[in-house]
Amino acid sequence: EKDKEDETREEESCSQQNGASREKKHQKKISNGKKAGEEGRRQRQMGKKAPTKDQKESENNEKKTNRKGKEGEDKQKKDRKNSTSSASSNSSDEESLSEEELVMLMEQVEQKKKLISTMRNKPWRMVKKLSVLREAQAFVEKFEGALGKGKGKKLYAYKMMMAKKWVKFKRDFDNFKTQCIPWEMKIKEVESHFGSSVASYFIFLRWMYGVNLVLFGLIFGLVIIPEILMGMPYGSMPRKTVPRAEQATAMDFSVLWDFEGYIKYSALFYGYYNNQRTIGWLKYRLPMAYFMVGISIFGYSLMVVIRSMARNANESTADGDDDNFIFSWKMFTSWDYLIGNPETADNKFASITTSFKESIVDEQESNKDENIHLRRFLRVLANVLIICCLCGSGYLIYFVVKRSQTFSKMQNVGWYERNEVEIVMSLLGMFCPPLFETIAALENYHPRIGLKWQLGRIFALFLGNLYTFLLALMDDVNEKLAEEDVVKNITRWMLLGHHNSSMGNGSTATPPPLDPADVPRGPCWETTVGIEFVRLTVSDILVTYITILVGDFIRACFVRFVNYCWCWDLEAGFPSYAEFDISGNVLGLVFNQGMIWMGSFYAPGLMGINVLRLLTSMYFQCWAVMSSNVPHERVFKASKSNNFYMGLLLLILFLSLLPVAYTIMSLPPSFDCGPFSGKKRMYDVIQETIELDFPLFVAKIFSYVANPGLIIPAILLMVLAIYYLNAVSEAYQHANVELKKKMQIQREEEKNKRNNKASTNPMLQDLEDLFTSSTKTETHPKQEDKKLESPNKSSPVRRQGRAAALDGSPMIGGRGAAFSPPPHVFVTQPPTLGVRPPYLGQSRPRGYPVGPFPGRGRGQPRY
Amino acid sequence: MGNKQTIFTPAQLDAYQDCTFFTRKEILRLFYRYRDLAPQLVPLDYTDKPDVTLPYELIGSMPELKDNPFRQRIAEVFSEHGDGNMTLDDFLDMFSVLSEMAPRDLKAYYAFKIYDFNNDDYICKSDLEKTVNKLTRNELTPEEVSLVCEKVIYEADVDNDGKLSLEDFQHMIIRAPDFL
């Protein structure tokens, strides 16, 4: 039954325009085809209830369809207006008529096309969808060829053909794209076992992998490959050669493992690159490329992170700040439809029951004063404890880094002394999060909020560690810079001495070139920094994997197999199985990414290591989760906390940008290694390129643009723009709150009203219910007054409320319009039931089908 | 890879792609899932649209639905005659709506139907009670259940008719942070 109604409506919507101007000729021409009967039927239908229908229809469509659809609708309306006017002006002219008809047809075809593209959004049975689709396609097929005339016809047909091809191509491309998304099945499997929150970590991991792949492509394609192919080969110059003193041990594994020896003097690190302006037959400007890639890595990452954040923010319509729907949301949205594992389902059932019970208790006694005080105290206590932990770990790292600097000056230090910093940092990262979790148990937050707190704390820990590490590293760099000056002089003297000695021999030939391995080197602080980052990353990877292996897998094996011969139940008791630690893993990932961003400028190869790491950890962690973890006791959904991850990522991106930007802008590059050697600052490479490779006026423009006189006003302008946009958004928020309040008021007082009504005049109410909401009351204030004065005392208040509501409703518009409750009770009707009053025509005629579409059926009569 | 499949004609596949949120590969995968439920019933050739329905017992045993407290309702809502037995079309329909690409209001519409146990186009109190009991596996006392239901109606019933209409439901659910 409903389907039939839908069908008629659909046909109407397809031939909306027909109703606007019905002309015989036009109809005849259209009905040339097979569709004659159908068209006729449509026309008849339109004749019945044309104008109001059209309005309603378009309104509904606007509500239902997406923004694009709305635009189309508007356009069509406009078109229709145009066409009607033209038709009325020169209806006698055959030529223009056909033109007008063409416009009609075109619109119809467009409409059908729109229908085809939105077919999947319709809540119909598949059979019906298929048949409607076929019909629409046949229609488009038939008539789009007829469009265009004379010369235009061929072009139009061609265009149509291309458009069809394009659609097909797009679909194929989409199919291809979804095929290219890796690990879909793996993630789905995890999702069904552990709920969507665990899966959200893996989705995040996959996203990171994608971003890193692009970054890796940038670095690898534009820096490393050109250097290897076209740069000077290994051993041709001092910076590309292992020094004589180290050559004996350069290939030892222990040396390579510390990223010294041959690895240090390879294209993986900053120091290997030459400062030659162009390399190879391509005249590839390597230093320039190096610089630009370093910048664009940050640019690209920023862009991607912000874009995906914006997309997420768009998708989530509200952040659930409403307290109005606690129970409703619990009831209707608490089930995670992705669960497909009995154990998880059990946990989910239990957690739903608990949450219901909790909120019932909360509801019943919302004044639990002593509890609140205790809870507050516990929360403060927890925060104090955690801050202490953070300070302690920060100091520990600073202490260790300082100590490592003294170690590095000493000879023959042991393995532990050399790796102390990494070990301590990894240990901190391993033991602090569980500690925080234990402390957080004091606070008794909802797990989702708890997760955020936990994330925030671990983030603070990691960040503190990272920055103390950086500070200590900076000290190191400054020392190296001082040392460099000395070495520079030595090198010069030595070269001079070499020349002199060869001259002193009396030979007129050029002196034999000094072997590159013998030239004394500066310390090359950039490579040192790069090596530090690479080491940190590698040790981080190892610690993570070992933790997973020991903490999850071995533990699971132990619990599983030793359980047969143990005093107590291991599975239920103390060790049990591990849960998947979402917060720790996410933060590990984010933090690791921060190190990559920081280090990749000094160690281009770091990006490759990271890609490998992400790739392996995807498989490894998937396996570990499936094999040795159990679902969370309180399974909860991920909701949109993805944006929270993104926020962390953005923060760390910004924080890792700072030190890199500082070194680029204010530290002098080493004099004998790296692509920028010999320049005062690294960014000089830009100026050099502009001066030498571009015409003069570009350099001039550049110097003007770089003028502080221009930059400061630009910044000011941006700040002002931000201020303005902020103010606007605040105003919107304010308006939103107001509207919500109005709605609330209206609801309340309708409730009162209803109670009054029910007690006073059941007869009248029946009448009103019959005619609910089908009219607008302002048109007949007199009748309303007449009717209402007798039964109801609260009428003045009520009317105020209504006025407010009417005020509000046009502003809400769109989806919001669906929120305004129908003006049920104000509506009264003269008792002449049989005759439809004239004003009824404005609104939806009775008997109009109840739309199954979202936002449609608002305010229609309920029988 | 597409050329060797003979289950659907290309036109059929295109039509299905227009009507669902799936790509052709996913449609084929779903078909195999469907077929695996009852290999003896479902033919490998759908080009001439055979009339095959699978009983609810088979549909409900899929791992995707097995643990879902609302599996019976889901199957009923999406089946042609409301009895839980599904044709391939219904099957595709169901997964299309439940997939993550489907827009929220479409999902809200079907969610409403799913929670509307007695098919009267309103979620009334008995529907709510059933929902709560299914969600908690009857672990709440009747008083608690009725309290919860009253609360829900109080919160979400905008037009004060004592039951939730589709609009009430959408108004409420569209803004829920957890609604997938």
Side-chain angles (χ1 to χ4, degrees), chain A residues 171 324 328 331-332 349 747, chain B residues 17-18 115 132 137 154:
Chain A
R171 172 170 292 167
N324 297 334
S328 316
M331 176 172 288
F332 293 122
F349 278 124
R747 243 183 90 184
Chain B
Q17 286 184 58
D18 273 328
Y115 291 123
V132 174
R137 284 190 181 159
Y154 173 77

Side-chain angles (χ1 to χ4, degrees), chain A residues 397-656:
Chain A
I397 289 185
Y398 190 75
F399 175 74
V400 169
V401 172
K402 276 284 167 206
R403 212 159 75 129
S404 81
Q405 279 161 9
T406 57
F407 280 142
S408 68
K409 288 198 187 78
M410 293 195 297
Q411 297 299 312
N412 57 25
V413 283
W415 177 83
Y416 171 74
E417 276 84 3
R418 257 185 293 133
N419 294 304
E420 197 181 38
V421 183
E422 284 82 17
I423 290 171
V424 167
M425 281 182 79
S426 302
L427 283 182
L428 277 177
M430 208 159 80
F431 286 112
C432 276
L435 186 67
F436 288 173
E437 206 154 347
T438 323
I439 295 174
L442 287 177
E443 295 177 308
N444 196 15
Y445 280 123
H446 178 275
R448 192 180 302 138
I449 303 169
L451 175 69
K452 280 193 181 172
W453 275 95
Q454 174 78 353
L455 280 172
R457 280 165 187 160
I458 303 177
F459 189 73
L461 169 81
F462 282 178
L463 209 63
N465 296 358
L466 190 64
Y467 260 66
T468 26
F469 172 73
L470 277 182
L471 281 181
L473 209 61
M474 215 47 121
D475 283 353
D476 207 23
V477 166
N478 284 334
E479 249 169 56
K480 288 251 160 79
L481 280 176
E483 190 187 329
E484 196 166 70
D485 282 341
V486 182
V487 178
K488 215 186 216 169
N489 284 337
I490 292 176
T491 321
R492 192 177 300 140
W493 280 112
M494 185 151 174
L495 284 177
L496 265 181
H498 183 70
H499 273 263
N500 283 344
S501 64
S502 57
M503 293 304 263
N505 279 347
S507 59
T508 50
T510 50
L514 195 60
D515 189 78
D518 293 331
V519 178
R521 315 279 173 82
C524 196
W525 60 268
E526 291 95 339
T527 301
T528 319
V529 171
I531 286 177
E532 282 299 326
F533 275 110
V534 172
R535 268 192 196 157
L536 209 59
T537 308
V538 169
S539 72
D540 186 45
I541 296 171
L542 290 181
V543 169
T544 314
Y545 286 1
I546 289 171
T547 322
I548 289 174
L549 213 57
V550 173
D552 290 348
F553 185 65
I554 306 274
R555 177 170 154 191
C557 286
F558 177 77
V559 169
R560 178 84 180 70
F561 294 113
V562 181
N563 200 24
Y564 296 119
C565 47
W566 201 262
C567 324
W568 67 84
D569 188 5
L570 283 174
E571 286 187 346
F574 163 57
S576 83
Y577 296 108
E579 285 180 359
F580 185 76
D581 172 22
I582 304 171
S583 54
N585 275 303
V586 164
L587 277 180
L589 202 60
V590 169
F591 178 67
N592 169 62
Q593 190 60 37
M595 285 200 305
I596 302 299
W597 274 322
M598 260 189 266
S600 65
F601 190 76
Y602 303 112
L606 191 58
M607 209 50 99
I609 295 176
N610 192 39
V611 166
L612 274 183
R613 175 220 169 111
L614 293 176
L615 190 67
T616 48
S617 79
M618 186 80 199
Y619 287 102
F620 188 59
Q621 286 194 308
C622 264
W623 166 79
V625 154
M626 295 301 281
S627 71
S628 50
N629 283 10
V630 288
H632 287 250
E633 225 167 277
R634 299 181 70 180
V635 183
F636 58 97
K637 279 192 285 185
S639 78
K640 293 288 175 191
S641 54
N642 248 348
N643 236 4
F644 188 69
Y645 300 164
M646 289 291 169
L648 291 183
L649 199 63
L650 187 66
L651 186 62
I652 207 154
L653 175 59
F654 184 71
L655 290 176
S656 58

Side-chain angles (χ1 to χ4, degrees), chain A residues 266-484:
Chain A
S266 73
L268 297 184
F269 289 104
Y270 172 94
Y272 182 78
Y273 293 87
N274 195 1
N275 64 343
Q276 216 178 351
R277 237 172 66 75
T278 60
I279 57 170
W281 50 274
L282 276 177
K283 301 278 176 222
Y284 190 74
R285 286 170 174 73
L286 190 73
M288 179 73 184
Y290 195 100
F291 188 80
M292 292 314 282
V293 165
I295 301 285
S296 57
I297 278 176
F298 283 103
Y300 175 77
S301 316
L302 262 178
M303 202 185 71
V304 165
V305 172
I306 287 180
R307 209 185 58 181
S308 72
M309 272 181 89
R311 208 189 300 129
N312 282 352
N314 265 345
E315 272 173 17
S316 64
T317 45
D319 303 328
D321 49 352
D322 258 339
D323 294 335
N324 297 334
F325 298 119
I326 306 166
F327 279 97
S328 316
W329 285 349
K330 274 223 171 83
M331 176 172 288
F332 293 122
T333 68
S334 53
W335 184 256
D336 192 339
Y337 277 84
L338 303 164
I339 290 175
N341 182 31
E343 203 177 336
T344 318
D346 284 345
N347 287 350
K348 187 73 193 171
F349 278 124
S351 81
I352 289 175
T353 312
T354 343
S355 81
F356 265 124
K357 279 191 176 150
E358 272 170 10
S359 40
I360 288 172
V361 171
D362 281 353
E363 194 62 34
Q364 277 167 348
E365 31 173 330
S366 47
N367 44 352
K368 297 185 292 179
D369 285 330
E370 65 282 334
N371 265 4
I372 281 179
H373 282 307
L374 179 65
R375 187 176 285 182
R376 252 182 220 155
F377 170 73
L378 282 179
R379 283 181 184 175
V380 170
L381 180 72
N383 277 317
V384 168
L385 284 179
I386 281 171
I387 288 174
C388 289
C389 286
L390 290 179
C391 294
S393 78
Y395 177 74
L396 186 62
I397 289 185
Y398 190 75
F399 175 74
V400 169
V401 172
K402 276 284 167 206
R403 212 159 75 129
S404 81
Q405 279 161 9
T406 57
F407 280 142
S408 68
K409 288 198 187 78
M410 293 195 297
Q411 297 299 312
N412 57 25
V413 283
W415 177 83
Y416 171 74
E417 276 84 3
R418 257 185 293 133
N419 294 304
E420 197 181 38
V421 183
E422 284 82 17
I423 290 171
V424 167
M425 281 182 79
S426 302
L427 283 182
L428 277 177
M430 208 159 80
F431 286 112
C432 276
L435 186 67
F436 288 173
E437 206 154 347
T438 323
I439 295 174
L442 287 177
E443 295 177 308
N444 196 15
Y445 280 123
H446 178 275
R448 192 180 302 138
I449 303 169
L451 175 69
K452 280 193 181 172
W453 275 95
Q454 174 78 353
L455 280 172
R457 280 165 187 160
I458 303 177
F459 189 73
L461 169 81
F462 282 178
L463 209 63
N465 296 358
L466 190 64
Y467 260 66
T468 26
F469 172 73
L470 277 182
L471 281 181
L473 209 61
M474 215 47 121
D475 283 353
D476 207 23
V477 166
N478 284 334
E479 249 169 56
K480 288 251 160 79
L481 280 176
E483 190 187 329
E484 196 166 70

Side-chain angles (χ1 to χ4, degrees), chain B residues 1-163:
Chain B
M1 68 122 222
N3 292 333
K4 58 179 187 265
Q5 70 92 12
T6 53
I7 304 158
F8 304 107
T9 60
Q12 263 179 318
L13 263 184
D14 274 349
Y16 277 133
Q17 286 184 58
D18 273 328
C19 292
T20 63
F21 295 94
F22 296 125
T23 63
R24 50 174 289 155
K25 200 178 170 201
E26 285 164 330
I27 288 172
L28 286 176
R29 200 193 297 155
L30 274 174
F31 169 77
Y32 286 118
R33 287 299 305 274
Y34 183 71
R35 191 171 176 276
D36 285 344
L37 291 175
Q40 69 282 10
L41 281 180
V42 184
L44 261 177
D45 181 16
Y46 252 75
T47 46
D48 52 351
K49 301 192 182 96
D51 188 23
V52 178
T53 37
L54 291 188
Y56 162 70
E57 289 72 35
L58 284 174
I59 300 286
S61 66
M62 292 181 66
E64 281 83 355
L65 294 174
K66 196 171 77 228
D67 297 301
N68 196 318
F70 303 110
R71 58 183 174 281
Q72 176 133 29
R73 271 308 293 169
I74 293 176
E76 280 170 15
V77 163
F78 284 100
S79 62
E80 179 119 42
H81 306 292
D83 51 3
N85 303 336
M86 290 194 146
T87 62
L88 177 66
D89 287 351
D90 297 334
F91 192 76
L92 284 176
D93 229 4
M94 173 169 82
F95 277 97
S96 167
V97 172
L98 293 180
S99 74
E100 52 195 290
M101 285 86 76
R104 281 163 85 93
D105 32 5
L106 184 66
K107 287 189 175 187
Y109 171 73
Y110 276 104
F112 179 79
K113 286 187 93 171
I114 287 170
Y115 291 123
D116 178 17
F117 283 85
N118 50 12
N119 291 327
D120 62 352
D121 289 334
Y122 290 100
I123 295 183
C124 54
K125 228 180 143 191
S126 64
D127 296 329
L128 289 175
E129 278 166 10
K130 268 188 201 161
T131 311
V132 174
N133 282 331
K134 276 190 186 292
L135 270 179
T136 57
R137 284 190 181 159
N138 299 324
E139 278 176 26
L140 294 182
T141 61
E143 293 83 56
E144 284 172 329
V145 170
S146 75
L147 179 80
V148 168
C149 296
E150 268 163 30
K151 276 280 162 201
V152 169
I153 288 182
Y154 173 77
E155 284 168 2
D157 183 19
V158 181
D159 50 10
N160 280 309
D161 50 3
K163 48 196 179 180

